């Protein structure tokens, strides 16, 4: 959208110009934010892994990204110990992954659930970035 300083009759219209320019700037800023899928362990040390996943989400926000963290959301109403419900959570997470710009993998251990997410991101050509538990990027980038 190209904002014109003049109205339809050819008169200078600074108020409308400024308003439309601000809308255009906000739209560009909104489009710049990446939606990132946070991939980290959940099972095992659920308390510790939940705490770390929250930290990873906070890190993504500081990086101007929009984090998607299914393993913080779905256990709120699905039972992790029920194999059917666990699979349902993984399947719903993969639907969310398909909408993301990148997959961010955290930690030094790849769980079985994480390996499914990584394989799917590779198949869908979603860029993958790898981070330590302390949110330092390791340089490992993949597709």
């Amino acid at each position: 959208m190209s904002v014109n300083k003049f109205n339809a009759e050819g008169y200078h219209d600074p108020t409308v110009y400024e308003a439309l320019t601000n809308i255009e700037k906000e739209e560009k800023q909104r489009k710049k934010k990446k939606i990132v899928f946070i991939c980290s362990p959940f099972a095992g040390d659920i308390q510790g892994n939940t705490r770390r996943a929250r930290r990873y989400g906070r890190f993504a926000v500081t990086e101007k990204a929009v984090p998607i963290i299914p393993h913080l959301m779905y256990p709120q109403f699905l039972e992790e110990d029920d194999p059917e419900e666990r699979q349902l959570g993984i399947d719903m997470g993969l639907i969310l992954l398909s909408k993301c710009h990148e997959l961010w993998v955290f930690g030094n251990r790849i769980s079985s659930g994480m390996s499914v997410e990584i394989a799917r991101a590779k198949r869908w050509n979603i860029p993958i970035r790898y981070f330590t538990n302390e949110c330092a990027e390791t340089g490992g980038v993949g597709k």
Side-chain angles (χ1 to χ4, degrees):
M1 174 174 143
S2 178
V3 179
N4 195 331
K5 291 183 181 182
F6 301 93
N7 64 19
E9 290 81 33
Y11 294 105
H12 189 256
D13 197 349
T15 304
V16 172
Y17 174 77
E18 185 175 346
L20 291 175
T21 300
N22 288 338
I23 290 169
E24 192 173 68
K25 284 179 187 175
E26 287 175 14
E27 187 69 24
K28 285 180 183 176
Q29 282 297 102
R30 187 180 60 75
K31 289 180 181 178
K32 285 184 181 179
K33 290 191 185 238
K34 288 181 192 172
I35 300 172
V36 300
F37 189 99
I38 304 298
C39 179
S40 65
F42 181 70
D45 178 12
I46 291 178
Q47 280 188 320
N49 289 337
T50 297
R51 189 177 59 253
R52 281 183 284 279
R54 291 178 67 194
R55 187 174 71 234
Y56 304 150
R58 180 99 177 141
F59 168 72
V61 170
T62 67
E63 295 295 307
K64 308 288 190 258
V66 178
I68 301 293
I69 315 172
H71 57 291
L72 289 185
M73 179 173 53
Y74 295 134
Q76 301 298 314
F77 55 89
L78 295 176
E79 293 298 324
E80 177 71 11
D81 296 332
D82 179 331
E84 287 182 18
E85 289 199 9
R86 182 177 189 280
Q87 187 58 51
L88 178 61
I90 291 171
D91 293 343
M92 290 189 297
L94 292 174
I95 291 168
L96 293 174
L97 174 60
S98 74
K99 310 299 181 197
C100 293
H101 298 108
E102 294 181 350
L103 174 76
W104 290 9
V105 180
F106 288 87
N108 55 5
R109 180 178 71 84
I110 304 295
S111 69
S112 61
M114 292 171 67
S115 63
V116 170
E117 295 162 347
I118 293 167
R120 193 62 58 96
K122 287 178 179 179
R123 191 164 86 189
W124 289 338
N125 292 316
I126 295 172
I128 303 171
R129 295 171 63 187
Y130 294 88
F131 298 86
T132 66
N133 285 334
E134 291 76 32
C135 302
E137 192 160 9
T138 64
V141 178
K143 267 198 176 185

